[in-house]
Amino acid sequence: MALACFLGTGKSLTFVRSPRMTQPQQHVRATAISFAILCAMYVAIAGLLANSRWLGSWPLLSKDLGRFGLGFWMSLGGLSLLNGVMSVVSFRFFALSQRVRTAAVWVAVLFALWRGVILVSYFFPRRALAPPFASFSLGMVGDALLALGYSMCAYWLWSAARTSNHRWSGP
């Protein structure tokens, strides 16, 4: 279906609607956007932590941020980078080789398992928690949402990889 737009000169421009995306393409696009949002979230966490420690001096900021430890900043930067790479890979998913698609699915599955293990760890506290926090905490809700989001991304990438494997011709 084409739409026409008339300009003041009497000429018309014709806009052609792009072809509809298939459901696996829509799921992969949603996965790519989800990974991009998660990448931005980790960058925002780092920015908020740096901003909350800012006292107007760069040497003091580096000293204060050093209290979190190098491992914390490396893992935060690594998560941001890995989510950004997964976003790019997801956007280009159907143009990639079978090996890269399989690796992307496995990375998404590992993300989902990682967040799931952290969620389950809330049910086995190292020390007794106070009564209001024993059954429900904000961290548990955040980890549950992250585990659900990563699981959905892994499932959508897996289903897209399964439907896009057209190399097998059958018996």
Side-chain angles (χ1 to χ4, degrees):
M1 178 175 167
L3 301 173
C5 177
F6 292 98
L7 298 175
T9 60
K11 297 180 182 178
S12 67
L13 297 174
T14 304
F15 299 102
V16 179
R17 201 180 277 177
S18 63
R20 289 204 40 100
M21 289 192 297
T22 63
Q23 189 170 7
Q25 288 172 330
Q26 292 173 353
H27 287 169
V28 168
R29 182 67 51 92
T31 299
I33 292 169
S34 298
F35 279 124
I37 289 170
L38 288 167
C39 174
M41 178 192 74
Y42 288 118
V43 169
I45 288 172
L48 287 172
L49 286 173
N51 189 32
S52 68
R53 297 293 182 165
W54 177 253
L55 298 174
S57 169
W58 289 105
L60 283 176
L61 179 65
S62 63
K63 179 183 170 190
D64 286 342
L65 293 180
R67 291 182 187 157
F68 286 111
L70 183 62
F72 172 78
W73 293 107
M74 292 297 291
S75 61
L76 196 60
L79 283 171
S80 178
L81 182 66
L82 193 54
N83 278 293
V85 168
M86 285 297 292
S87 176
V88 171
V89 166
S90 296
F91 268 119
R92 304 278 305 147
F93 191 76
F94 292 109
L96 300 172
S97 69
Q98 184 69 30
R99 282 187 182 179
V100 176
R101 285 188 296 211
T102 303
V105 170
W106 277 108
V107 169
V109 166
L110 288 175
F111 267 140
L113 288 174
W114 169 61
R115 294 316 297 188
V117 166
I118 291 174
L119 178 62
V120 169
S121 73
Y122 279 106
F123 296 109
F124 302 104
R126 293 184 194 140
R127 58 183 170 79
L129 299 174
F133 300 108
S135 61
F136 183 75
S137 72
L138 186 59
M140 187 183 294
V141 172
D143 280 322
L145 291 174
L146 281 172
L148 177 66
Y150 279 127
S151 298
M152 288 174 55
C153 289
Y155 174 73
W156 285 342
L157 285 180
W158 171 77
S159 65
R162 189 175 52 98
T163 60
S164 68
N165 188 8
H166 302 295
R167 294 190 176 126
W168 187 69
S169 60

